[in-house]
């Protein structure tokens, strides 16, 4: 069973952990991370397993932090587990943090080149992937194909994302 550290509203560790399936109480929070992988003017998105919340919707890869993990540790672990991509801290740039419901989500980006043939999906989490252009991603948001909280974070960080999104255009 997976556990996560419980945090305060100011993101201080409250020095206890809960199992992943346990509902957080008032004034309890946890943390997670997601990664916007931008390669050759395209964004890597993954399709959620039908057994997960938001089944079959597209998102950027990421997940919840486990006990004692930093958000950097989390994103490195999640990329390895979910899509088989190995990253180091130097590959990551923090764009910012968004409090979403009861979770602090650190939003990272990278321009590290990811070869499609290197991607190995963890089928219990991710059923497909693709690289999309900015226009394709916006169209997918309009068609309700993207997890709504991911779309919200896109609009929150789009000016930072756009700097690199058009780098290869």
């Amino acid at each position: 069973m997976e556990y996560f550290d419980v945090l305060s509203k100011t993101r201080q560790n409250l020095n206890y952990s809960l199992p992943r399936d346990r509902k957080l109480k008032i004034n309890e929070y946890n943390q997670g991370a997601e990664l916007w992988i931008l390669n050759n003017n395209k964004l890597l998105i993954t399709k959620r397993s039908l057994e997960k919340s938001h089944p079959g919707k597209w998102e950027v890869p990421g997940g919840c932090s486990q006990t004692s993990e930093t958000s950097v540790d989390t994103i490195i672990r999640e990329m390895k587990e979910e899509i088989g991509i190995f990253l180091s801290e130097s590959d990551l740039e923090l764009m910012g943090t968004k409090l979403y419901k009861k979770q602090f989500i650190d939003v990272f980006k990278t321009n590290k080149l990811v070869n499609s043939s290197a991607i190995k999906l963890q089928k219990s989490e991710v059923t497909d992937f693709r690289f999309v252009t900015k226009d394709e991603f916006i169209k997918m948001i309009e068609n309700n194909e993207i997890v709504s909280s991911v779309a919200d974070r896109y609009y929150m960080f789009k000016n930072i994302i756009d700097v690199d999104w058009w780098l290869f255009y």
Side-chain angles (χ1 to χ4, degrees):
M1 172 163 291
E2 292 181 8
Y3 285 79
F4 60 84
D5 291 328
V6 180
L7 308 174
S8 71
K9 180 135 186 163
T10 60
R11 206 170 179 177
Q12 297 302 307
N13 192 321
L14 296 177
N15 298 316
Y16 62 95
S17 299
L18 291 175
R20 173 88 186 259
D21 61 354
R22 182 88 163 268
K23 188 172 175 126
L24 291 163
K25 296 177 184 172
I26 294 173
N27 297 321
E28 289 183 332
Y29 301 83
N30 66 2
Q31 75 178 8
E34 70 183 15
L35 182 63
W36 294 70
I37 301 172
L38 299 156
N39 283 184
N40 298 316
N41 200 36
K42 292 190 176 183
L43 171 69
L44 174 67
I45 57 173
T46 56
K47 191 173 191 179
R48 294 177 64 85
S49 163
L50 295 178
E51 284 76 46
K52 295 185 71 170
S53 61
H54 311 289
K57 293 237 179 179
W58 292 88
E59 65 183 351
V60 294
C64 294
S65 295
Q66 295 178 3
T67 300
S68 300
E69 278 187 335
T70 66
S71 59
V72 169
D73 296 334
T74 300
I75 208 63
I76 290 171
R77 176 184 51 78
E78 288 285 352
M79 295 308 99
K80 181 180 169 189
E81 289 177 0
E82 290 186 3
I83 60 175
I85 299 300
F86 294 85
L87 299 169
S88 66
E89 186 171 351
S90 63
D91 296 321
L92 306 173
E93 180 184 335
L94 179 66
M95 293 191 290
T97 301
K98 171 75 172 155
L99 179 57
Y100 179 73
K101 295 183 180 180
K102 303 286 279 176
Q103 185 174 61
F104 294 96
I105 301 173
D106 286 336
V107 182
F108 294 91
K109 70 176 177 174
T110 187
N111 288 321
K112 180 176 179 172
L113 292 178
V114 174
N115 188 326
S116 294
S117 64
I119 294 176
K120 307 285 186 253
L121 301 179
Q122 180 185 24
K123 293 292 187 177
S124 62
E125 299 278 331
V126 178
T127 60
D128 200 2
F129 76 94
R130 67 170 95 152
F131 284 92
V132 296
T133 65
K134 180 181 180 181
D135 291 341
E136 290 169 326
F137 187 71
I138 298 298
K139 188 70 163 170
M140 292 175 80
I141 291 172
E142 292 168 356
N143 292 336
N144 198 31
E145 297 174 71
I146 302 291
V147 174
S148 61
S149 61
V150 173
D152 291 345
R153 287 187 293 278
Y154 165 72
Y155 288 113
M156 181 177 184
F157 295 109
K158 75 183 195 82
N159 290 339
I160 300 169
I161 295 167
D162 284 349
V163 169
D164 292 325
W165 200 304
W166 300 113
L167 185 63
F168 301 102
Y169 198 58

